[in-house]
Structure formats: structure tokens, C-alpha cells
Amino acid sequence: MTRSRLFLFDTTLRDGAQTTGVHFSLADKLAVARMLDDLGIDYVEGGYPGANPLDTEFFAADHGLRATFTAFGMTRRAGRSAENDPGLAALLEARAGAICFVAKAWDHQVELALGMSLEENLEGIRDSIALARSRGREVLLDCEHFFDGYKANPAYAIACARAAHEAGARWVVLCDTNGGSQPDEVERIVAAVAAVIPGERLGIHAHNDTEQAVANSLAAVRAGVRQVQGTLNGLGERCGNANLTSLIPTLLLKPGYAECFETGVTAEKLGTLTRVSRKLDEILNRTPDHHAPYVGSSAFATKAGIHASAVVKDPATYEHVPPESVGNRRKVLVSDQAGRSNILAELERLGIRVEKDHPTLGLLLQALKEKEAEGYAYEEADASFYLLARRILGHVPDFFLVESFSVNVERRWNDKGELGIFSDAIVKLRVGGEKLISAAEGNGPVNALDTALRKDLGKYQSFIEDLKLIDYKVRVFQGGTDAVTRVLIEFQDAAGERWTTVGVSGNIIDASFQALTDSMTYKLIRTGATV
Amino acid sequence: MTRSRLFLFDTTLRDGAQTTGVHFSLADKLAVARMLDDLGIDYVEGGYPGANPLDTEFFAADHGLRATFTAFGMTRRAGRSAENDPGLAALLEARAGAICFVAKAWDHQVELALGMSLEENLEGIRDSIALARSRGREVLLDCEHFFDGYKANPAYAIACARAAHEAGARWVVLCDTNGGSQPDEVERIVAAVAAVIPGERLGIHAHNDTEQAVANSLAAVRAGVRQVQGTLNGLGERCGNANLTSLIPTLLLKPGYAECFETGVTAEKLGTLTRVSRKLDEILNRTPDHHAPYVGSSAFATKAGIHASAVVKDPATYEHVPPESVGNRRKVLVSDQAGRSNILAELERLGIRVEKDHPTLGLLLQALKEKEAEGYAYEEADASFYLLARRILGHVPDFFLVESFSVNVERRWNDKGELGIFSDAIVKLRVGGEKLISAAEGNGPVNALDTALRKDLGKYQSFIEDLKLIDYKVRVFQGGTDAVTRVLIEFQDAAGERWTTVGVSGNIIDASFQALTDSMTYKLIRTGATV
């Protein structure tokens, strides 16, 4: 069976930029475009040249992408010729192989929002496409509100799609703009459109407002479309766009799609998907969604003891695809509910070899239960679990000894008569025979302590210089300022490795201190520091 | 057209407890069960009595729920009679109206994971259900791996379902255990099962591993099942279970479902869904997913300027359902009437009378927006909102002035050669003409500061002596120890009144200080202290 070509269109840099809290710099846009190109995406939509200064700048250069770099903008305004429309002029000036126009396909919206007649809107579609085609551009038309429009007035929605197709648009993209359509509606409506316009010329653009953007996109593919639009990590306004990070593996790995379609993403590149997803979060300084399908750090994590032993016997039990196929990995969580098999699996992953019946394994299980009863949470804190296991099963060197520390927070009036808040820390360490004293200021007490701790580690300083604090989480148990506090801290090194440590204490500073020193010790062991 | 009854089954407390990083205390479980009951969920699955000490305790009491409280556990083991199986005994001891058994329906898994014959597995299903029925329990059977099992050996998967049905199970639940099935497969397979067992006896239990748990659940409903299992906020192992928070509004509001089905959730209770979702996150100290369908704070947020003006002209442009229907609200960058009426309602609740068109109301709206952009969260902090409103609309007396404070945390060796951690605080206050200096020790820096602050408030001391700190919560935004910290503090007085205040700062001590002093000021105003 020959497979049909299915095209992937990414709008992370255009629709994804509408996400609450997301701001791309020019450098960010460049990095994301390159990453998408490398992954094998067919179309990279860059933004709105002309309407947005950043995007105008982004579109001024040739980025040398293999993918078709696409500029987005509106069809010509009412009462203007396409040649005299400044919006169109900016689109045509952009260095983009394709132009994606957007036009409304819902009669009510055309009249209400645009205040133009239905026929004028069709003319605008035809004129704009014809002009862009005459300038040698590949053209797409996003039919905004297509599905709501079709439900209200099918003839007019189809007329918009047909006008674009006849004017020479390579793709007519059916948009579920407010994200409310259901997969069965999408499948039925796309099938009706595909009876008029060949599926090889149709695309789908879905939003996630009922948590079905992925299902809607796949329903449209089953009904005939051959282009899927979406964003990395499902970025987008409101609840986001269709998530390409979920769609791509499903299209490449699942029966019903894998044997029917071919995309620009190879099996090898699919193996970089988890990295691509995390990289985008890093660029945008967002916390990755641990539960994201395929690429989340928990997507292949097993917590229940009975599940853990089953997944080791037969991965298909709780793994619908092999984690490595998307560059992810299995994670067997260690918790007080866990059995021996969870722990053995996790130890093996961490490179600690233990015989299944070794008596110290029982000691480790016991220690784990006691620690978790105190409030420690090892399922997230892999590095603290590693240290706990090595302390019991083997040995952890005392690279450094903290003799004392002191953290001070003061709220007082400064010289200029302003009320300010000041944090500083002093740390006294012993490294080898050397006594080291460091002091630092910080934005808060933990930041001050962290800065002082990592300021001078004597002969080990070079090992920890590339550490970057990525995430800091606090949870207070039982209520009351004198309750137990758990702190989780995530660090990253220059090689991109990440690890999390945990600290628990009645005192938040002390809990943070435990997690910080665990993290430093972990890094020293993993990079082969010796006492 | 009469609508069919569709039953909602919640497994937040059982499958949801498998979520990485989620730990329910007994009090948490009670609170969640009550919340689900109040929402109108039909079945509340509580956990595994017998297999888990917490769940055994949870099932020991009668919680007086209207919903059917359900215990979960395995069918009898191989080589045991149902009467002699300790697992079954624990299930029957639990105070639960229904028992949900789980049994494998995938031939390969029965042999591999359970090491029993296919016939033995069927006998286990029959015996376990018969015993529970004879003890007067309503029975459900979760057919684990049903869809993968059906794809491998349809006759055996159906035989498992049929055995349960014939043994008297009220519900036969088809589980997509590893979450890899696609909606079209689910629809086709459910239709085949519904030809053998009436849909009124079938349920669906989907997982989100391809981001289609919601679509799979709805596909099953279209194919005939009349029970849907899921969790609040889509909690669950790996990528989570089917998200009831998305499913419920779709079932109640969307054509194709709304006119066909009736659930236990009324339109009025649907209006509490956003609150329910946020409350669960609060209980678990998880950051709410701003982009969650229907209930996320950004689910009805419009960022693009052109979208914002269109949505004001016609909400249907970018809102697929009215935000109020699920207790959420529109968020646009322009000031809107909805915001004004929300605020008026909240002010009235707090006993602050303002005319609807009073100009300072606009100032309050503006201040609220600015504060929320900084990270303040007034939805939870009623007392801080009260003070903010009074500061702008009226007047808040300066009962006391904090001139300065200093908090110190030290880790050092004590006289006995033990390493200890010590926290103390000094606070300098001015009350009337009096200057007061107090110092205190604490279990942590916030506790020390709180104790010192409330030690001596001069002439107001009698007003605050009955204050008790009930809850202290910390959330850090954006990652990094130098990120923004939000602190929520709940106090209670001798009369039992409770109130919450909020503080936001780069510094956790400063954020706590804001919330603590707000709380004291609130108490002084409410008890009629005068300057």
C-alpha cells in the first residue's frame, strides 16, 4: 500500500504567540523556527509581517529553512483593491515562500465583525489570492469560523472555500476558531467539503476548548484533509491549538495512520520530540507539563507497585508505545506504596546494581518508608533518592561539610528614606583541610543562602560552576507556620542534565538547605569528583 | 424527546491518587468526596480498602454521601474461593454501597501477569461478583485492558464482559488501560459490545496517553455506554484519566449530548465547576492549569486586540459556551461590565456599599488588575480584598506602623555538640505614640516573625489575642529562588470566624509579613478597634 503524504503546518510562532504569558523575542523565534525545520515540519508560520514590528523584522531575513516559511495576514479590506492594500503589500514584502490569508467563512461574522457584504468577502478572497499567486507565492486560506459557519449556512461556508480553491490557493484550511466543535461534527462537515474540494487541498486548524483539538484534527484527517495545523506543546490562545507534540507520534505510530500516511518527520526525528518539547518550554521559561502525552516526564511513569512489576514483565501493559520512540523514558516511581520491583527498576536506571534478594534492599525500603512518613517525596526527587540509596547500599563521600550558616532578612529604612527589604547569608564550610567563609546577598533568604553556598566550594568549585537553578517548589503540611515544610529544587547543568532534590524540615530555610546541598553532592558524584 | 440517564463515576480518589506528586491525606479525601457529592456525581470511588491503610481508614466511617460510595479491589485470586480471599473480605468490610472489581480482559495479560488460565479468570469474575451481590452490594467490573484485549482476542474480551453481566454486575466498564486506543476504534468496539450487553449496563474508563481520553469517552457514549468514568482536572497515572471537568460541560452544553442525556449534575451545579476545579488544586497544592478547557483562568481569555473587540461585539466569536455556565469568566484586556458586577457583588457580601456608577469603582478595578498582574490572588484572599477596597473606596486606619523587622535563621552547633537550627525575629512597632520592640523565637522564620509581631500590639493587644493561625500556603512562580512568591495565610478568631490574606514579594519573608499584617488590620477593623 502506498502511503499518502500528510503535511504538517506549525503555527507556534503565530497562533502560539497568543498564549497568555508567552512572549517570543526575535532570537526565540529564530531558535524555534530552526528547531521545527530540523524536526521535519513542512510549513513554519512565522507571524504577521506589517501588523507587528517584531514579525516584520523576523520576515526581513532569509532564514534558509528547508520548510516553507509562511507569512500570515488578512485578505484585502473592503473598498480597496488588493494592489492598494497596505496589509497585503507588507505580506508580499516579507521573505516567505507562502502566504496564509485568513478570511471569515461564517456569514453572520462577515456582516457583524467586518461590516461587509457576503459577496464582497468572496471577492476579497479571490483578489488577494490572485495577487499573491501572480507574485509567485504559494497561498493558503484559513477559513475562520468554518465549522460554526457551516452549521449556520453551509452554502456560504462552502462558497468561501471554493472561492479560495478556484483562485488558486494550494490549501484551503478549515478552522474551528472558537474551538467548540465535536469530532463527529468535524468528520461529517469535512467529508461534505471533501466532496467539493479534493482532500489533497484541504487542511484542518483546531482549538482545544473542549479538550478535543487532537481528536478533531484526526477526525478531519480520516475524512480527507491532508494538512494538519497545530503548535508545539499545544500553545495558543485560551486553551491552545491542536498539539503537534501529541499529533505527530499518533500519526507516525498508531495503526490507522502509520500505514496510511507519510509525513516530513522521520522515525529518527520522532526520537527527538521529547527534547524539542522541553526545549520550547525552556525558551519560554515555562514549567514543562509532566503529564503531557508522549513527551511528559510522567508520560511513562508507573506509581502503583502492582503496575510496576507488570510493566517490567511486559511493557505493553501500561505503555501504549515504546517511550524511546519519542525520545522519552520509562520511570518507575518510588514511593511508600512502591514495592521492591519499583525500587530495583529505578536503581538500575540510576546505574546502581543490586542483587534482587540483597538484604540491604530491605533496609532501603524501610528508610524510604520512614523518610516519606516525615514528608520526603522521592518520586519527584530522583537525585535525593540516588543519594539515599547510595548512602545505604554503598557510600557517599563527604565532599564538603557545612559548619554553620546564618541567614538574615531585614525590613528597614535605607539612607534615602525608603523602606526596603534586605536578605543576606553567611556560610562556613570545610572542604578538605580548608575552612571557607562565603557571604552573599539575595532577593530572598533562600536565594541568598544558595548564592553563598555555591560561591566558593574550594577545589570542587569548577564542578558546580555550571549549575542553574530551574525550579523551586514549596509545600507546607498540616497548616500553621510551625508546620512541616517540603522543598523541591530542580537544577540543570551545562550539558542539559536535570535533577531534583528534596528537603523537609519545620523550617523552610533548613528544608531548602538540605535540597541545595543534596543537589551539589549529586552533581559532584555524577561528574566524578573524588575526595 | 426524553433524555437517557448518563451516570458519572469519579475515580479522583483512586486512579487520581496514582498521579505523580499527588498525595491525599484522610482529610483531603473527605473534602474531595463531599465536593464531588455536592456537584452531583453518581459514584465516588474512594480507594482500595484492605490494600492501603489510609483507604481502610477512609472506608471505616459512613460519610453520609448521596452518591454511591464505591470501594475498588481485585477479583479473587487464583486457587482461592471468594469467601476465603482476604482481599475480598476487606472489600466487604468497607462501608461502601458499591464494589468495583478489576479483572483483566486481555488473554495474554491473564496468562502472563496473573499466571492463571483463561477459564480460571472468568470463574474469578463470576465468583467475586456473586459473593458481593449476595452481600447486597451493587457491583461494577472494570475490564482492564479491554480494548487491547478485544483487538487481540475479541471473543475472550467479550467473554469477560459477559461473565460479569451474567453474574449480576450492574455495570461492565470497558477500560483503555494503557490509554493508546483511538476514538474510531473505541466507537467500533463499544458498538460490538453493545450488541451483546445493553448499553445501559456499560461504562467507559479512558486514559489520556494520546490526548484523547475525552474524545474516547464521548465516542463510547455515542456508541451506547451509559456510564463515564473520569477524574477531576484529569488527574491520574502517566498522562491522566478522562477529565470530568471537560466532559461534564460538554455533555451538558453541547448539541448531540445536551438534548440526549441527563446527568446528576444540574445546570446550577455546573456553575460551580470552576470553583470545584480550583478547590481540588488548592487541596493538593497544585498550580491550576490556566489553559484547562472550560475552567482554566485563560479558557475565556482574549489576548489579541482584534479578538477582544470582536468578542465584545459578539461573544460567540471566540467563546464556544458562555463562561458563566461553568462558573468561569471572560478575561479581556479592556475593562468590562462583568468585572464591575462581580466586584459589586463581592463588596456587598463584605458589607461595603457602593453606587454602581461611582467613579472610584473604576479605580478599584484598575488596582485589582494591577495587583493581580503582580501575582496577588484575591479570589482566595477575601480579607486582603476587603482591605484593598476600603483603602480605595474609604479609609483604613493606621493602627500600627512597623518601623523595621529582622529575622535570622542560623544553623550551628550548640553547647552539647549538637547541630541545631535556630530562628528568631525582632520587630519594632509604633502604636499611637508608643514605640514597642518585641523579639521571639520560632520553629521557622515565619513563625518567629508572626510570634514577635503579635507579642505586643500595645493598646490593641486584647483585640488580637484570640487569633489562631490555621493555614499557611506558599506558591512560587516562574521557578528559581529569586522568583515571585505568593503567601496565603488563614486566621481564625475565638468566635470561629475565618479569613485569608495574601502577600506577594520576591522575598518569602516579606510576602508573609504582608499577609500577617493585613490579617491583624482586618481583625482590628472587624472588631471595631479605633485609632
Side-chain angles (χ1 to χ4, degrees), chain B residues 391 395-401 430-432 459-460 521 524 531:
Chain B
R391 280 187 185 116
H395 176 65
V396 173
D398 287 324
F399 296 108
F400 58 93
L401 191 80
R430 193 169 287 279
V431 179
K459 59 176 177 171
Y460 302 118
T521 304
L524 290 173
V531 178

Side-chain angles (χ1 to χ4, degrees), chain B residues 5-6 171-172 174 190 194 198-204 217-228 261:
Chain B
R5 184 68 160 87
L6 190 67
W171 294 103
V172 178
L174 312 177
V190 169
E200 291 73 33
R201 308 291 287 271
L202 294 175
I204 180 75
S217 303
L218 294 171
V221 168
R222 285 197 305 275
V225 311
R226 291 297 173 261
Q227 186 193 101
V228 177
F261 302 110

Side-chain angles (χ1 to χ4, degrees), chain A residues 17-23 104 106 108-109 112-113 144-145 177-180 182-185 208-212 214-215 218 222 236-239 243 246 250 254-255 257 285-286 291-294 298-304 307 313-314 316-320 333 337 377 379-380 403-413 419 421 423 443-447 450 469-472 474-476 479-482 486 506-510 513, chain B residues 17-23 28 52 74 104 106 108-109 112-113 144-145 177-180 182-185 208-212 214-215 218 222 236-239 243 246 250 254-255 257 283-286 290-294 298-304 307 313-314 316-320 403-413 419 421 423 443-447 450 469-472 474 476 478-482 506-510 513:
Chain A
Q18 301 300 325
T19 317
T20 318
V22 161
H23 305 276
K104 296 191 190 297
W106 185 357
H108 167 69
Q109 290 289 332
L112 181 89
E144 205 186 2
H145 296 298
T177 305
N178 71 21
Q182 301 295 305
D184 56 326
E185 295 174 333
N208 207 31
D209 297 74
T210 77
E211 214 182 316
Q212 293 183 98
V214 164
L218 294 171
R222 285 196 306 275
E237 200 168 47
R238 305 188 312 269
C239 312
N243 186 355
S246 296
T250 295
K254 289 288 171 184
Y257 303 105
N285 198 25
R286 286 160 64 95
H291 303 283
Y294 296 105
S298 295
F300 299 93
T302 305
K303 186 169 172 180
H307 288 195
K313 276 191 201 167
D314 178 11
T317 323
Y318 300 104
E319 288 175 3
H320 68 120
L333 301 173
Q337 289 183 31
E379 57 181 67
E380 288 163 273
E403 292 208 327
S404 67
F405 69 72
S406 165
V407 179
N408 192 261
V409 178
E410 245 183 293
R411 189 180 170 92
R412 56 180 154 81
W413 302 90
L419 190 61
I421 184 126
S423 305
N443 293 322
V446 179
N447 182 237
D450 179 33
L469 197 151
I470 297 293
D471 201 8
Y472 177 81
V474 182
R475 167 135 203 208
V476 181
T481 39
D482 56 349
R486 174 167 70 211
N507 186 314
I508 189 174
I509 305 297
D510 191 38
F513 169 76
Chain B
Q18 301 300 327
T19 318
T20 318
V22 162
H23 305 275
D28 292 343
N52 180 323
M74 279 182 283
K104 295 190 190 297
W106 186 356
H108 168 69
Q109 290 290 332
L112 181 90
E144 205 186 2
H145 295 298
T177 304
N178 70 22
Q182 301 296 304
D184 56 326
E185 294 174 333
N208 207 31
D209 297 76
T210 77
E211 214 182 317
Q212 293 183 98
V214 164
L218 294 171
R222 285 197 305 275
E237 200 168 47
R238 304 189 311 270
C239 312
N243 186 355
S246 296
T250 295
K254 289 288 170 183
Y257 303 105
I283 288 171
L284 294 172
N285 198 28
R286 285 160 65 94
H290 298 306
H291 304 283
Y294 295 105
S298 296
F300 299 94
T302 304
K303 186 171 171 182
H307 289 195
K313 276 192 200 165
D314 178 11
T317 323
Y318 300 105
E319 288 175 2
H320 67 119
E403 293 208 327
S404 67
F405 68 73
S406 164
V407 179
N408 192 262
V409 177
E410 244 184 294
R411 189 179 169 92
R412 56 178 154 78
W413 302 90
L419 190 61
I421 185 128
S423 305
N443 293 322
V446 179
N447 182 237
D450 179 36
L469 196 150
I470 297 293
D471 201 8
Y472 177 81
V474 182
V476 181
Q478 292 166 347
T481 39
D482 56 348
N507 186 314
I508 189 173
I509 305 298
D510 191 39
F513 170 76

Side-chain angles (χ1 to χ4, degrees), chain A residues 64-103:
Chain A
L65 303 182
R66 181 208 39 74
T68 304
F69 194 47
T70 308
F72 178 88
M74 279 183 283
T75 52
R76 73 156 171 79
R77 289 188 219 161
R80 287 234 182 212
S81 73
E83 283 79 3
N84 285 321
D85 187 294
L88 255 76
L91 280 175
L92 291 167
E93 259 164 42
R95 295 186 71 162
I99 293 175
C100 183
F101 287 111
V102 59

